[in-house]
Amino acid sequence: MGDDVSTGARAKVDEFYRAESRYVLATLIRLLGDFDAAEEALQEAFSVAMEQWPRDGIPANPRAWLVSTGRFKAIDGMRRRARYDASLNELAHHIETTTGDSSEQEDEHIEDDRLRLIFTCCHPALAEEAQIPMTLREVCNLTTEEIARALLTKPATIAQRIVRAKAKIRDARIPYEVPPPSELPERIETVLRVVYLVFNEGYSASFGTSLTRAELSDEAIRLGRLLLQLLPEPEVIGLLALMLLHESRRPARTSATGDLVLLEQQDRSRWNRAQSSEGISLIERALSMKRIGPYTLQATIAAVHAEAPSAAETDWAQIVALYDLLLRVDPSPIVELNRAAAVAIRDGPAKGLALVDELLARGELATYHLAHATRADLCRRLGKNADARTSYERALALAKQGPEQRFLRQRLMELN
Amino acid sequence: MKYLCLVYLEEKILKGFPSDTRRAISDDAMSYCEKLQKAGRLLAASPLHPVETATTVRVREGTISATDGPFAETKEQLGGFLMIDVPDLNDAIRIAAQFPAAKFGSIEVRPMKELGCAD
């Protein structure tokens, strides 16, 4: 056999690993009932492929071949270790008799297995700080180091969270299943929240020096697309639309020097039109389904911005109306703050300031830097410079991100 | 798989309910447990006397100390338990969620280890 052929086959195995390993893993977890055993079986299956494919050619259904090889290797390994631990023999027998080896049969489950994996990684019984790394590791195939870098945590911490989550899945027996329809709305909510947290972690990092960490947002959008393919529910569509519309503004959000540029000052010609028009057509699809949730509403607000040629030409009345609707569906002080900022543009800064002051007096947003920054901005517009200064200083003390701190310092300097 | 569902509630809240509400909650809990037992999912269940009756026992360097009060002073107290046998955590969560006290208290669901003299 020529070297070219074997090099080609090896490249094919690599390519397959990148594209398919998560599908194979998702199915192996179901067959073997254990994350670690499945991970090990996956690696074994690929090392057999590396050896056999260059020699014998690529099998007709490579994915099914990998699943079947991994399953076989796992059962074989259990039999060998059964010499030291008799219970493994029983387990091997159980897996062998309860799971089929028919390739076609496995292929039908493949999409369901992907969903099972997502719902398990985002199970509400797992800590939120574990749901995100589990999803990025098991579903997106990011390494522990990559996740640690993205979440600005130590790799050891991430590794420990993943180990603990896997132990809880095993010991508390969290089932590997897509929830029944009666529980689906609640469970989808958790999954969507995890995906949105991943996106936001990438879009506006809460700590650190860089304003955006694009890779995480890309992963979140990829996850959103996968979910939509598997579960075309209105809020799944709404979340993907929301992420795309926010992402479309990324090129205009930071200046050449890495400084924050507010929405009203952004150069809209730099917005990614392909992403925003995809977002807009997704919203149309979500709205036509008549069950409107918070993600779809937030995406619709983002779409109003995307369709406006400038901040001044934005339909602020519609934006306020959408915030009113959002407050009814999903009330939160942050939504109220955003509504107040929109009212300030529609009805003037004095009206907005009254709302923000009322909101701050309630205390829930006392430590939220953007609440103070919004108040400072409105005071500045009204010529109340002393009040503006106090609020900018409070916002600066609370902001944790380099570019935001620079922005606030700049504003303070302009006041003096 | 066996799970121990520990029912935590603020005894103050329970005492604050009018007596017929308390009776209704207790009746609901009883009939729910009966239903679970008939379905073969309940191994044992019991409400507990109030936390003032609790004694915490420790042995340190061979000396027994028995002190008045619960292990931890918290806002919510352990008010009772259900020991259930179901296939997985999702079923355990479903059962715990339907227990009447879940509406005003909290239920901690703990998987039980499969060893010792439980069987």
Side-chain angles (χ1 to χ4, degrees):
Chain A
M1 180 167 289
D3 273 354
D4 284 355
V5 179
S6 58
T7 313
R10 243 175 243 131
K12 198 90 191 162
V13 177
D14 280 340
E15 192 192 309
F16 224 85
Y17 188 82
R18 273 191 304 275
E20 300 282 323
S21 76
R22 295 300 107 181
Y23 286 91
V24 178
L25 178 75
T27 300
L28 284 171
I29 294 171
R30 172 170 54 81
L31 296 178
L32 303 174
D34 183 83
F35 275 70
D36 290 331
E39 187 69 43
E40 202 179 311
L42 174 77
Q43 301 309 330
E44 287 211 56
F46 271 98
S47 72
V48 176
M50 211 47 150
E51 195 187 299
Q52 284 188 10
W53 293 8
R55 194 182 64 218
D56 306 338
I58 294 158
N61 185 344
R63 196 192 272 170
W65 185 96
L66 287 161
V67 167
S68 153
T69 306
R71 173 182 172 276
F72 172 79
K73 282 278 169 190
I75 293 171
D76 193 46
M78 283 172 200
R79 290 258 153 79
R80 267 184 285 115
R81 286 195 297 268
R83 252 183 292 169
Y84 313 104
D85 180 356
S87 69
L88 283 173
N89 228 339
E90 212 176 297
L91 184 61
H93 180 73
H94 176 76
I95 292 169
E96 199 162 35
T97 49
T98 53
T99 66
D101 190 30
S102 150
S103 315
E104 295 76 40
Q105 196 188 322
E106 290 313 331
D107 241 20
E108 277 173 31
H109 289 300
I110 218 113
E111 305 279 85
D112 281 347
D113 287 337
R114 280 287 265 186
L115 262 188
R116 283 189 183 100
L117 182 58
I118 295 172
F119 275 109
T120 307
C121 290
C122 299
H123 196 283
L126 297 179
E128 192 173 275
E129 59 165 38
Q131 290 170 347
I132 296 173
M134 274 297 280
T135 305
L136 291 173
R137 175 74 206 97
E138 308 298 327
V139 185
C140 305
N141 203 17
L142 262 58
T143 64
T144 309
E145 287 72 23
E146 286 168 334
I147 299 167
R149 219 178 307 132
L151 300 178
L152 302 164
T153 318
K154 292 195 200 98
T157 310
I158 295 295
Q160 195 182 37
R161 285 179 194 166
I162 291 176
V163 167
R164 278 200 202 131
K166 284 180 181 169
K168 176 149 192 192
I169 290 170
R170 187 185 60 234
D171 297 338
R173 204 173 285 176
I174 292 178
Y176 195 57
E177 65 180 22
V178 177
S182 63
E183 288 166 23
L184 206 52
E186 241 177 278
R187 295 286 307 277
I188 289 182
E189 216 178 283
T190 318
V191 172
L192 296 180
R193 194 177 38 105
V194 169
V195 176
Y196 195 40
L197 280 171
V198 171
F199 179 80
N200 277 329
E201 212 40 64
Y203 192 68
S204 55
S206 40
F207 291 89
T209 51
S210 169
L211 190 65
T212 55
R213 276 173 284 145
E215 321 83 58
L216 272 185
S217 300
D218 287 348
E219 279 308 331
I221 289 174
R222 252 196 293 277
L223 268 171
R225 289 192 193 286
L226 174 70
L227 271 176
L228 177 56
Q229 203 187 322
L230 302 170
L231 257 172
E233 287 284 312
E235 278 290 88
V236 176
I237 304 172
L239 175 60
L240 179 58
L242 177 62
M243 293 192 295
L244 284 167
L245 283 158
H246 276 307
E247 188 64 17
S248 73
R249 293 187 211 148
R250 183 188 291 277
R253 277 182 85 218
T254 39
S255 70
T257 50
D259 285 328
L260 182 72
V261 184
L262 292 184
L263 179 62
E264 51 195 286
Q265 274 104 34
Q266 286 175 10
D267 172 2
R268 297 182 179 217
S269 68
R270 295 178 65 201
W271 286 359
N272 183 327
R273 288 294 157 191
Q275 281 172 333
S276 59
S277 37
E278 188 188 354
I280 290 167
S281 58
L282 283 167
I283 292 169
E284 282 158 8
R285 190 172 149 201
L287 292 175
S288 74
M289 294 167 90
K290 312 276 183 220
R291 282 176 288 146
I292 299 165
Y295 290 116
T296 307
L297 281 171
Q298 290 179 75
T300 311
I301 293 167
V304 176
H305 287 301
E307 282 170 333
S310 69
E313 290 161 277
T314 304
D315 187 349
W316 290 102
Q318 199 191 348
I319 288 189
V320 173
L322 286 165
Y323 275 124
D324 285 336
L325 217 58
L326 184 56
L327 272 176
R328 257 195 286 161
V329 178
D330 187 26
S332 91
I334 293 186
V335 174
E336 282 183 69
L337 177 67
N338 290 332
R339 181 183 175 275
V343 168
I345 302 177
R346 189 190 62 177
D347 304 337
K351 288 267 166 53
L353 183 60
L355 290 173
V356 173
D357 278 339
E358 200 185 298
L359 197 51
L360 277 170
R362 267 165 36 202
E364 293 147 293
L365 295 180
T367 59
Y368 186 54
H369 67 286
L370 291 180
H372 297 286
T374 307
R375 180 175 194 279
D377 186 52
L378 296 174
C379 290
R380 184 182 58 87
R381 287 178 198 211
L382 290 165
K384 299 177 167 183
N385 282 5
D387 282 354
R389 195 167 297 117
T390 316
S391 287
Y392 274 131
E393 276 162 2
R394 200 162 299 160
L396 184 60
L398 294 165
K400 287 168 183 155
Q401 211 184 299
E404 284 189 334
Q405 290 167 341
R406 277 205 302 281
F407 173 84
L408 292 167
R409 265 189 222 109
Q410 182 66 35
R411 279 287 155 101
L412 262 172
M413 263 168 52
E414 284 165 11
L415 273 181
N416 291 333
Chain B
M1 179 118 188
K2 296 187 186 85
Y3 295 87
L4 188 60
C5 304
L6 301 161
V7 182
Y8 286 89
L9 39 87
E10 258 186 84
E11 287 173 0
K12 266 205 317 234
I13 291 184
L14 197 60
K15 281 178 196 150
F17 287 140
S19 61
D20 46 341
T21 310
R22 273 204 308 264
R23 203 170 313 118
I25 292 169
S26 155
D27 288 350
D28 283 352
M30 293 282 278
S31 61
Y32 185 51
C33 285
E34 259 169 50
K35 204 178 96 190
L36 289 175
Q37 196 151 26
K38 280 197 188 116
R41 291 147 102 190
L42 187 69
L43 301 172
S46 176
L48 299 175
H49 282 295
V51 72
E52 295 87 65
T53 63
T55 307
T56 301
V57 177
R58 293 178 185 84
V59 178
R60 295 290 181 271
E61 287 156 11
T63 310
I64 298 174
S65 88
T67 51
D68 175 53
F71 165 66
E73 292 286 355
T74 50
K75 211 165 148 226
E76 296 191 308
Q77 293 84 33
L78 182 62
F81 70 90
L82 292 88
M83 194 192 290
I84 57 174
D85 193 357
V86 291
D88 59 51
L89 184 66
N90 284 0
D91 293 304
I93 292 173
R94 269 171 221 134
I95 286 180
Q98 287 171 45
F99 191 70
K103 289 197 190 78
F104 53 91
S106 323
I107 302 181
E108 180 177 326
V109 177
R110 295 280 292 269
M112 294 173 65
K113 285 196 173 181
E114 296 285 337
L115 30 98
C117 46
D119 284 327

